[in-house]
Amino acid sequence: MKNYVAPSLLAADKQRLSEEIKLAEESGAEYLHFDVMDGKFVPSVSFGLEELEKISKLHKMVNDVHIMIENPDEEAIKYAKAGADIVTFHIEALPCMGCLAKTIKALHDYGTKVGISIKPRTKVNALDPFLQDIDLVLIMSVEPGKGGQPFMKSALRKIKYLRRVIDRHHYDVLIEVDGGINEATVASCAQAGAELFVVGSGIFRHANYSQPLKELRDLARI
């Protein structure tokens, strides 16, 4: 099982994003994590459509776009058109099963991969009906929209559960984890079954991004 580290642009220098993105790609990153927060579904506000349109064509990494917004059924396709390779939305923001299915289909019809994310307090089996139809599951190991939180160990149980279900049914679904991922937590997440690890300051605080990327990948090898 190959593991990937996705640098999170939230931790990058906003005044020199183009340079930060170039350095991340040159350092071997294969995914670039792009968080969208609307100040409603979560308390913070971050990047939006305009920023995604600007940065999506600056690199060849996978644009891994996590939209923490209200009404993702109305907005998700806009992010696909703006350059997202994967659009991940929250199940809590779209509790209607029919709306979820419709949004998944619309994104797939456009040619974009689909992810569903859950907050720490959401039961992981809420994802079961959708696993055969999506490409990625994002487990939040902190409350989304709030910085500086410690990793929640309850995420490991959710990852283990998903790993069992996905393997049992041979679903082609990537398990991603975001929140408090660093040298101390990445190995336990990998052992639980995660494959894609979102890391912010653990990469961008370094002068040389190659070193932390390599160290995190090595720690995630199982």
Side-chain angles (χ1 to χ4, degrees), residues 208-222:
N208 179 355
Y209 302 160
S210 299
Q211 181 180 346
L213 278 166
K214 182 180 184 305
E215 289 176 355
L216 288 161
R217 284 198 198 99
D218 288 345
L219 288 166
R221 286 204 184 107
I222 54 173

Side-chain angles (χ1 to χ4, degrees), residues 124-140:
V124 67
N125 60 4
L127 296 164
D128 287 0
F130 309 103
L131 291 176
Q132 63 182 337
D133 299 315
I134 61 177
D135 306 285
L136 179 146
V137 172
L138 172 54
I139 298 297
M140 293 302 301

